[in-house]
Amino acid sequence: MKAYHPIRKALLALTITAALASSVSFAAVTDQDIANDPGTTNDVVSYGLGLQGQRFSPLTKLNTDTVKNLVPAYVLSYGDEKQRGQEAQPLIHNGKIFVTASYSRAFAVDAKTGEELWQYDHRLPDGILPCCDVVNRGGALYENLFIFSTLDAQLVALDQDTGKVVWKEKMEDYKAGYSNTAAPIVVKGLVITGVSGGEFGVVGKVEARDAKTGKLVWSRPTVEGHMGTLNGQDNGITGEVNKSWPGDLWKTGGAATWLGGTYDFETDSLFFGTGNPSPWNSHLRPGDNLYSSSLLAINPADGKIRWHYQWTPHDGWDFDGVNEFISFDLKQADGKVIKAGAHADRNGFFYVLDRTNGKLISASPFVNKITWAEKIDLATGRPVYIDANRPGKNTDTGKGESVFAAPSFLGGKNWMPMAYSPTTDLFYVPANEWGMDIWNEPISYKKGAAYLGAGFTIRPLNEDYIGALRAIDPKTGKIVWEAKNKAPLWGGVLTTAGNLVFTGTPEGYLKAFNAQTGEEVWKFQTGSGVVGCPVTWEQDGEQFVAVPSGWGGAVPLWGGEVAKSIKNLNQGGSLWVFKLPNTATVAAKQ
């Protein structure tokens, strides 16, 4: 064996060390990688395909001409009896797919072969209180960590290579009704999360933690009257005590931030929507009930609220305002460009705001029937209510007068994220047409118990369809095209520079549409309802599309007559991955 001189051995050691360091550096997800995510094509390292949440891919190999060649590459079963709703968005990095599943599970998969690399099953305690199925919507990548939240209100960071726990932090007390299902985001080394539990009288909040350690940096409550913190010190009250809440109701005010948020680099602002005020019974809490059913623009450095816009002041229909706020450039006819953001609310209106200050630019219906308000007043930014269509005041012993309201509390659009294409300048909104009978009832707060004070039954509005994928022009608020679906739409949307829009249906299909015309150009039956979020990326010269499949979520649990009409849909639990083979492969087969 050849002997090595000591200096040569030292140089060899330095070379190996440098190579390893280079490898680690290459594998690590950096802040710059996250910032570049909208423009990169070989990975997906953030929820929303970029922190602005546009869900747009610049890839063009897969397009309206080639989509006919899209074929399954493999399918990963999540296994055992833990099915239910699979609402996650996969992430792709360093040749691996990271995806969460029902019951707070996480998987890593070889992106090329579909081989499972590891699985993490979070140990859930008895007595968890998720309102709307045992779903999980995805995770965040940072350095060598995969970070996601759990149904018992914890935040868990796993090693990307092994699936082993690196850190774990309790966010709140699950026994009080707290949980979490949203995908966190990472901004400047901070992992930003919200909380779920508005149906249990929790206090919503947005929190930032050191992504490497899980240590809490700041917390911002989203109910007026509560104190925020920064590095363990008081950091100012949210709003003013009792300004928009009577008595002590602000102490159990809801406004859960259960869908997570987006971030805009240009304004350096986090955008988090807030849920319903608690209880649902609006007669028990006179006032606007800030900051429920609102959008908050938050400084990521310290958690201070810069501005807010309330979608539904004094909400009495459970019109949570959590739906995503997507930053985009609004191009006007005179050539002026406004830094804007768009939001399709559960209340049935599609809003465009100036994202620098929260000023309302436009608000247009994106569903056919709205009974609770005549319009949104552009001068005041407030709804013009139809008072007769607010659920009636209850007595101390009985329910109030029932009204028929549309949309239903499941919303003109619920959690499922829409997409925006800078190529077509259109938003693609998964809308639903349904209404509800709703009435108020007596209620009092009890820790860990449902805190609604209302009853309801959801009803379809049309015989032939409930769901409708709609392309909306943000300059006019008009619907450019729509694709109707018999069952409600409950999955996220992806759009691409290849002139395609992807979304799934509860009937089991992943579908692709022409982004300009709405023509259906491809579909595939996955065997269970598709309520997850599709993504696309390029690997070894081939374009891939991935989406979870597994019917569930809020509709089967809360959907009333609608749920009965689709009770035959099968549950499932799997990750489907499709690919567009390279040109040579396709030509050889033809």
Side-chain angles (χ1 to χ4, degrees):
M1 180 178 292
K2 184 176 181 179
Y4 282 93
H5 188 277
I7 295 178
R8 186 175 296 172
K9 289 174 68 175
L11 289 173
L12 181 61
L14 286 172
T15 302
I16 293 172
T17 301
L20 288 172
S22 174
S23 175
V24 170
S25 175
F26 175 77
V29 176
T30 66
D31 290 299
Q32 193 61 50
D33 291 331
I34 295 170
N36 293 341
D37 200 25
T40 57
T41 57
N42 63 341
D43 59 15
V44 178
V45 297
S46 61
Y47 191 76
L49 284 76
L51 294 181
Q52 289 186 317
Q54 292 185 353
R55 297 186 176 273
F56 171 80
S57 169
L59 283 168
T60 57
K61 286 185 177 180
L62 188 61
N63 53 53
T64 50
D65 293 326
T66 62
V67 70
K68 64 180 180 292
N69 297 319
L70 188 64
V71 294
Y74 52 82
V75 59
L76 172 79
S77 172
Y78 296 154
D80 64 42
E81 76 284 358
K82 294 179 178 178
Q83 304 295 335
R84 307 290 286 269
Q86 310 298 342
E87 294 184 354
Q89 180 214 290
L91 298 173
I92 294 89
H93 174 65
N94 199 30
K96 302 183 184 73
I97 302 175
F98 302 92
V99 66
T100 60
S102 54
Y103 293 96
S104 304
R105 294 174 293 164
F107 296 82
V109 183
D110 186 301
K112 191 69 175 177
T113 66
E115 177 186 357
E116 182 181 310
L117 302 175
W118 54 255
Q119 176 178 343
Y120 170 79
D121 289 13
H122 185 71
R123 187 183 295 275
L124 290 168
D126 295 333
I128 56 172
L129 297 168
C131 93
C132 308
D133 206 358
V134 290
V135 301
N136 190 283
R137 299 188 174 99
L141 297 174
Y142 193 67
E143 295 202 344
N144 200 41
L145 300 176
F146 175 74
I147 308 167
F148 78 111
S149 59
T150 68
L151 289 167
D152 60 342
Q154 295 194 59
L155 197 62
V156 181
L158 307 176
D159 185 286
Q160 290 179 20
D161 296 319
T162 65
K164 301 296 184 184
V165 175
V166 176
W167 57 257
K168 185 188 299 183
E169 292 291 330
K170 177 181 177 180
M171 301 167 66
E172 265 297 347
D173 180 10
Y174 71 88
K175 295 179 182 177
Y178 284 94
S179 60
N180 206 19
T181 56
I185 59 174
V186 176
V187 176
K188 300 179 182 179
L190 298 176
V191 57
I192 316 290
T193 59
V195 293
S196 304
E199 273 61 58
F200 297 93
V202 305
V203 175
K205 58 183 177 178
V206 180
E207 291 189 334
R209 297 173 184 271
D210 186 313
K212 297 179 184 179
T213 66
K215 181 182 178 182
L216 182 66
V217 176
W218 57 255
S219 180
R220 174 52 53 191
T222 54
V223 176
E224 189 171 52
H226 293 268
M227 179 65 72
T229 64
L230 175 63
N231 295 320
Q233 304 296 316
D234 289 349
N235 191 33
I237 291 175
T238 299
E240 300 178 31
V241 179
N242 288 138
K243 184 175 182 179
S244 63
W245 290 85
D248 289 338
L249 282 172
W250 59 278
K251 295 180 180 179
T252 52
T257 48
W258 57 265
L259 193 53
T262 57
Y263 172 74
D264 175 50
F265 289 90
E266 291 185 317
T267 61
D268 188 30
S269 293
L270 297 165
F271 297 118
F272 269 73
T274 66
N276 59 279
S278 293
W280 288 16
N281 187 335
S282 63
H283 297 282
L284 299 178
R285 42 172 176 77
D288 282 354
N289 312 131
L290 290 171
Y291 290 90
S292 66
S293 301
S294 298
L295 175 69
L296 305 182
I298 298 174
N299 183 344
D302 60 12
K304 290 287 187 74
I305 297 174
R306 288 176 166 155
W307 55 258
H308 80 278
Y309 181 89
Q310 192 167 32
W311 314 111
T312 313
H314 196 217
D315 182 3
W317 303 267
D318 187 38
F319 289 149
D320 292 39
V322 298
N323 289 353
E324 67 285 349
F325 183 72
I326 298 178
S327 299
F328 75 108
D329 290 336
L330 178 64
K331 307 173 186 68
Q332 298 188 306
D334 61 2
K336 182 180 179 182
V337 176
I338 298 176
K339 289 179 170 50
H343 168 92
D345 199 74
R346 273 165 68 162
N347 69 22
F349 287 96
F350 181 88
Y351 297 81
V352 178
L353 306 182
D354 185 321
R355 70 179 187 265
T356 68
N357 56 23
K359 182 180 178 181
L360 178 64
I361 296 172
S362 64
S364 309
F366 68 93
V367 293
N368 295 329
K369 191 176 183 66
I370 296 176
T371 67
W372 66 277
E374 295 178 8
K375 63 180 180 178
I376 306 300
D377 187 317
L378 295 184
T380 65
R382 296 177 66 87
V384 178
Y385 291 106
I386 302 173
D387 291 332
N389 284 335
R390 181 180 291 272
K393 186 175 182 179
N394 61 284
T395 67
D396 291 339
T397 58
K399 72 179 187 179
E401 180 183 358
S402 177
V403 300
F404 182 78
S408 78
F409 74 85
L410 288 177
K413 186 184 89 67
N414 202 278
W415 78 273
M416 51 281 191
M418 62 184 181
Y420 168 72
S421 170
T423 302
T424 63
D425 200 21
L426 298 175
F427 281 85
Y428 302 97
V429 181
N432 288 308
E433 300 280 356
W434 43 20
M436 62 180 172
D437 297 318
I438 183 170
W439 58 91
N440 286 320
E441 299 172 341
I443 190 68
S444 59
Y445 174 76
K446 180 181 179 181
K447 180 179 178 180
Y451 189 44
L452 302 185
F456 49 83
T457 299
I458 292 182
R459 305 183 188 279
L461 296 177
N462 308 287
E463 291 186 2
D464 57 332
Y465 79 102
I466 296 173
L469 179 65
R470 289 176 170 146
I472 297 178
D473 185 339
K475 297 185 292 296
T476 64
K478 295 187 180 301
I479 298 171
V480 176
W481 58 257
E482 68 176 2
K484 295 178 179 178
N485 194 71
K486 178 70 174 176
L489 293 180
W490 208 253
V493 182
L494 166 72
T495 186
T496 78
N499 197 35
L500 294 172
V501 179
F502 287 89
T503 196
T505 74
E507 294 93 338
Y509 288 102
L510 178 64
K511 292 186 175 184
F513 300 87
N514 183 306
Q516 292 180 317
T517 68
E519 176 192 2
E520 184 181 304
V521 293
W522 178 87
K523 68 179 180 180
F524 184 88
Q525 174 59 249
T526 68
S528 184
V530 177
V531 295
C533 300
V535 296
T536 188
W537 74 100
E538 188 176 41
Q539 186 168 327
D540 298 333
E542 296 177 315
Q543 188 171 344
F544 289 78
V545 176
V547 70
S549 170
W551 169 238
V555 177
L557 300 175
W558 295 73
E561 290 187 5
V562 171
K564 294 177 184 177
S565 70
I566 53 177
K567 64 180 184 298
N568 62 317
L569 297 177
N570 292 322
Q571 292 186 344
S574 57
L575 175 70
W576 281 86
V577 177
F578 304 86
K579 73 173 180 178
L580 179 69
N582 62 44
T583 305
T585 302
V586 174
K589 290 184 177 180
Q590 293 175 341

